[in-house]
Every structure is written in C-alpha cells, then in structure tokens.
Amino acid sequence: FEITLFWQRCNYFLVLNSALALGFFNLKNLKAPEYSLLLAGMGLITSVLWFCVSLGSKYWQRGVSPSLS
C-alpha cells in the first residue's frame, strides 16, 4: 500500500519539476532573466521537498510499517 503512495507522490513531484524546467528553458529562450531566477528557485525548493518526502517515506517503511503488520 505504501509503495503505491510513494510512486504517486514521486509522479506528482516529477510533473511539477518538469513543468518548472519547461518554463525555465522557455524563458531562457525569450530572454526574460527576472522570471528565470524565480523558476530556478522554485525548482530548487521543489527538489528539496521531494527529497524530504522521500526520506519520510523511507522512515515510514522501515520504522512504522513493520510494526503495523
């Protein structure tokens, strides 16, 4: 059950990061650096959040999930 939720969360973050990267590279081509920096920062924040969520899933899988079985 938890592994399905893990992959679902990963897919959400992947779609969000892909949209941010697409916007970032499209703005780079349009020569709009003020928004490029904003999108790069949002991408960095999203990546850090993705990492933290993955660590939380690993903690749940190793610590809490076996005690529920």
Side-chain angles (χ1 to χ4, degrees):
F1 175 71
E2 176 62 27
I3 195 70
T4 305
L5 294 175
F6 171 76
W7 285 113
Q8 191 175 24
R9 286 188 296 265
C10 281
N11 286 335
Y12 290 144
F13 278 110
L14 181 63
V15 168
L16 180 59
N17 271 341
S18 298
L20 288 170
L22 182 67
F24 176 80
F25 287 113
N26 279 336
L27 286 175
K28 284 292 237 188
N29 292 338
L30 296 175
K31 307 287 190 232
E34 62 276 356
Y35 295 114
S36 295
L37 186 60
L38 175 69
L39 287 177
M42 289 173 60
L44 179 66
I45 291 169
T46 304
S47 297
V48 169
L49 287 174
W50 188 358
F51 179 72
C52 291
V53 166
S54 295
L55 286 179
S57 294
K58 183 178 179 182
Y59 171 78
W60 173 265
Q61 189 176 16
R62 285 197 169 185
V64 178
S65 187
S67 65
L68 294 176
S69 300

